Amino acid sequence: MNATPTPTHAAPAGPEEPAGHTADYVTVDDGGSFSYHPSQTALLAGFEYIDEAACIIDRTGTTFDLAMDADRHLRLGPSFGPVEFNWLRKAWLDEQRRHPRDHPLHRFYPSAKDAVLAEVFEILELERGPVSAPWTLTSDGKVSHPATLPDVGRQLAGNKRLAHIFVEDPFGHIYRPLRHRMHAMFPLERGYFYYVEIPRPTGQAA
């Protein structure tokens, strides 16, 4: 990247990762893009200068900044309070609108604070994939278990009729798959899949 690192003094250390435990994080960069990082090591490897990360959030909703240690290596700085949830929800919805192909999972509108935080973490983790459990794809009574979201798309690629297909993510949310046409002159099959959350169908076990 071409940005110039911002000079700074050494900052107090952020939270250490206990042995056997790995915290994960969501970041919003200086351009408004969201990313998921499965560990503090992966987080620090994803940035080159401290102002590149506009916001760093852990699973509890606590926010952090990047800082530099005495050797001018990036580190996670100390926490500075909970994330502002109205800002987070707006920034997340804006990100989904700007990059619909990168964020094809469309869940119900999150109203509660906990729901906003859970949705951002879960969707970004699913898009990064794989997670510890598979997806479930049900088509005309036949059930398969793709490992990742791209695997779901590959299995759907040969289907021209999507009306009776249901997709369930590893966190238990049910979606109806749809195709987005890239251009009016292109056939629908050249578009990409997106997934709209629906209520669990009657009679289907959770």
Side-chain angles (χ1 to χ4, degrees):
M1 297 186 181
N2 296 324
T4 302
T6 301
T8 184
H9 61 278
E16 295 292 335
E17 293 182 329
H21 172 76
T22 301
D24 55 351
Y25 301 87
V26 161
T27 59
V28 186
D29 69 16
D30 51 2
S33 294
F34 281 66
S35 298
Y36 172 79
H37 307 273
S39 68
Q40 190 176 131
T41 299
L43 164 66
L44 295 176
F47 294 95
E48 296 181 357
Y49 57 96
I50 61 174
D51 291 335
E52 190 178 6
C55 185
I56 302 170
I57 312 165
D58 71 8
R59 289 260 181 184
T60 70
T62 301
T63 55
F64 303 87
D65 274 331
L66 290 176
M68 284 187 177
D69 64 18
D71 296 319
R72 300 191 62 78
H73 297 135
L74 283 178
R75 72 187 310 165
L76 190 64
S79 64
F80 60 92
V83 67
E84 207 291 304
F85 282 95
N86 289 329
W87 170 84
L88 177 63
R89 177 169 52 197
K90 183 180 184 304
W92 173 237
L93 293 175
D94 287 346
E95 165 73 355
Q96 289 179 304
R97 294 188 191 101
R98 284 197 310 268
H99 304 290
R101 192 167 190 170
D102 294 335
H103 304 295
L105 298 176
H106 299 270
R107 288 190 180 172
F108 297 131
Y109 183 80
S111 55
K113 292 181 179 180
D114 290 346
V116 177
L117 190 63
E119 175 176 307
V120 170
F121 267 89
E122 289 179 4
I123 288 181
L124 290 172
E125 186 177 5
L126 289 169
E127 290 169 352
R128 183 181 184 275
V131 296
S132 58
W135 294 68
T136 299
L137 194 156
T138 304
S139 175
D140 294 325
K142 298 178 181 179
V143 178
S144 61
H145 296 286
T148 66
L149 183 56
D151 291 336
V152 173
R154 282 188 281 271
Q155 289 197 23
L156 291 174
N159 291 274
K160 293 187 177 181
R161 295 177 62 252
L162 302 175
H164 301 293
I165 297 178
F166 300 98
V167 175
E168 181 174 354
D169 72 29
F171 298 105
H173 296 262
I174 306 288
Y175 307 85
R176 176 84 70 196
L178 299 168
R179 279 189 179 93
H180 176 81
R181 189 186 297 272
M182 297 292 291
H183 190 280
M185 300 296 291
F186 294 164
L188 186 59
E189 289 74 15
R190 289 185 60 180
Y192 61 85
F193 290 105
Y194 64 102
Y195 307 86
V196 177
E197 186 173 12
I198 61 172
R200 184 171 293 275
T202 303
Q204 185 174 352

